[in-house]
Amino acid sequence: MSRFLRASILMLLLSSCGGGNFSAPRDLDNACSIVRERPEYYRAMKASERKWGVPVHVQMATIHQESKFIGDAKTPHNYVLGVIPIGRQSSAYGYSQALDATWEEYQSEQRRGSARRDRISDATDFMGWYMDQTEKSLGISKWDARAHYLAYHEGRTGYARGSYNAKPWLLVVSQKVADRADMYRGQLAGCGR
């Protein structure tokens, strides 16, 4: 067997063993379609709901806003002179767009050193943990998708200071998250879940 053929077979095998399916589900506006296409998403969100008390529809709406259900989502690059990439806007990564430091805090506190941001079950557990901590420290109901999104985006300290009030665009986004959560809640109730 030639070296080229062996190398090609090896590359094919390695690429097939790599990460999971990081593409988004086909119909992001239909919760029933998402859970039919990706039942592992629903199982992960239900597990997080049981453990942390964060409703599935709140998790779904937040993940939609953060990553559009793309498992390896990253923030855009920053550029010098408009063309030279100098790094990403932040360390946010994965379904939940968790920052490195916050993810490491979660891994340490929950003793989940092997948890990965591009694994849906880990991302939803992280989200449940974060929102549970937010409820405890700020008193935000786990059913309040809008306020949780603001605290998720700004961090708990930023939320407590009201930093989002200086960001009209973020207030609009947080309302869209709340509206999507309501839409997903109604859809999930009608699709036999």
Side-chain angles (χ1 to χ4, degrees):
M1 189 181 303
S2 74
R3 283 186 181 182
F4 176 75
L5 184 56
R6 279 186 282 195
S8 297
I9 291 170
L10 180 62
M11 291 302 293
L12 182 63
L13 287 171
L14 289 175
S15 66
S16 69
C17 294
N21 177 9
F22 295 133
S23 65
R26 283 186 290 276
D27 186 358
L28 295 179
D29 291 328
N30 186 318
C32 298
S33 175
I34 292 168
V35 300
R36 272 193 305 272
E37 184 177 341
R38 307 277 170 86
E40 68 276 14
Y41 287 10
Y42 186 72
R43 285 191 300 271
M45 287 182 252
K46 282 303 282 185
S48 181
E49 181 181 60
R50 283 189 298 274
K51 182 175 180 181
W52 301 108
V54 178
V56 168
H57 63 276
V58 173
Q59 295 175 61
M60 285 184 90
T62 304
I63 290 171
H64 176 274
Q65 181 58 42
E66 290 296 287
S67 67
K68 302 293 186 274
F69 292 91
I70 297 171
D72 62 351
K74 297 176 186 170
T75 59
H77 283 286
N78 284 323
Y79 293 90
V80 172
L81 304 173
V83 293
I84 303 167
I86 59 167
R88 300 220 176 253
Q89 293 175 0
S90 78
S91 64
Y93 177 72
Y95 290 105
S96 61
Q97 288 294 282
L99 297 171
D100 287 351
T102 313
W103 187 261
E104 289 162 7
E105 178 186 347
Y106 160 75
Q107 287 178 304
S108 174
E109 190 176 299
Q110 293 299 303
R111 293 177 172 81
R112 300 200 60 209
S114 63
R116 294 177 25 188
R117 291 178 277 183
D118 60 7
R119 186 181 301 139
I120 191 67
S121 59
D122 294 337
T124 56
D125 190 66
F126 165 82
M127 190 172 287
W129 167 81
Y130 191 88
M131 291 180 178
D132 182 66
Q133 298 295 313
T134 299
E135 181 188 57
K136 288 174 181 170
S137 64
L138 298 173
I140 298 172
S141 165
K142 291 175 184 168
W143 288 75
D144 188 343
R146 181 179 181 277
H148 267 289
Y149 184 75
L150 290 170
Y152 196 80
H153 188 276
E154 296 296 282
R156 290 187 278 273
T157 303
Y159 181 88
R161 278 194 236 127
S163 62
Y164 53 88
N165 287 316
K167 300 175 182 175
W169 63 269
L170 182 56
L171 295 172
V172 170
V173 169
S174 67
Q175 187 57 53
K176 287 181 181 179
V177 171
D179 293 344
R180 180 167 293 275
D182 289 343
M183 178 183 78
Y184 282 161
R185 181 180 179 200
Q187 291 170 344
L188 289 169
C191 67
R193 294 280 174 198

